Amino acid sequence: MSTTIEIKDSIYAKLLAKSLPRPIHSGAEHARLTEILLQLDERDDLSPEEEALAEVLTLLIEDYEDKAHPLPSVSPHESLNTLMEERGLRHKDVWPVLGNKGAATEVLSGRRSISKAQAKRLAEFFRVPIDLFI
């Protein structure tokens, strides 16, 4: 059962008219909408209408950033190696998560792909999205 918060159309319409959110196609428009979102994020007492505007701005900004600055494609074993390096972990630290020493060696070298079960355990271990390992 979800709780629905009432948004007053007249108040929301005024916020939209003031901020003029629209699909972002330039760095200047990105900067403008990001500044509005940052101003909203600094406050703790947002109205339901301001919360809705912040959500719309977030979606527009994320869409632009995903298109303008796509992340490079990285293989699952490269993701694992990078996470281990960033956190100062070694083979002995992750082999229990991968199942055994042999499996860890093959996964880390890229000779064996990461199974779905291993991906789930790695995501929980590193506290990252499972997509990094699939």
Side-chain angles (χ1 to χ4, degrees), residues 4-126:
T4 305
I5 298 175
E6 283 294 317
I7 294 177
K8 295 182 179 154
D9 290 342
S10 61
I11 296 172
Y12 187 59
K14 287 179 184 176
L15 286 171
L16 291 174
K18 183 179 177 184
S19 60
L20 297 172
R22 56 184 161 263
I24 302 171
H25 298 290
S26 71
E29 188 67 7
H30 175 261
R32 184 182 76 79
L33 294 180
T34 299
E35 179 58 33
I36 294 169
L37 180 59
L38 289 173
Q39 289 172 4
L40 291 170
D41 281 345
E42 289 175 358
R43 296 187 27 225
D44 293 327
D45 60 340
L46 295 181
S47 68
E49 296 81 10
E50 290 168 323
E51 290 276 352
L53 176 61
E55 185 175 352
V56 168
L57 293 174
T58 299
L59 292 171
L60 291 171
I61 291 166
E62 286 177 352
D63 180 62
Y64 174 78
E65 289 175 351
D66 288 346
K67 290 176 183 171
H69 310 289
L71 295 175
S73 179
V74 177
S75 72
H77 91 273
E78 289 174 321
S79 295
L80 175 57
N81 284 321
T82 300
L83 284 168
M84 288 175 61
E85 183 179 321
E86 287 174 353
R87 297 176 188 199
L89 300 176
R90 297 176 37 200
H91 181 275
K92 68 179 179 122
D93 300 312
V94 296
W95 77 255
V97 179
L98 292 169
N100 62 55
K101 292 178 184 179
T105 299
E106 290 185 358
V107 166
L108 291 170
S109 68
R111 291 190 308 256
R112 178 190 281 188
S113 61
I114 298 172
S115 71
K116 289 182 182 180
Q118 289 170 329
K120 183 178 179 184
R121 290 193 306 267
L122 286 167
E124 290 171 2
F125 178 77
F126 285 104

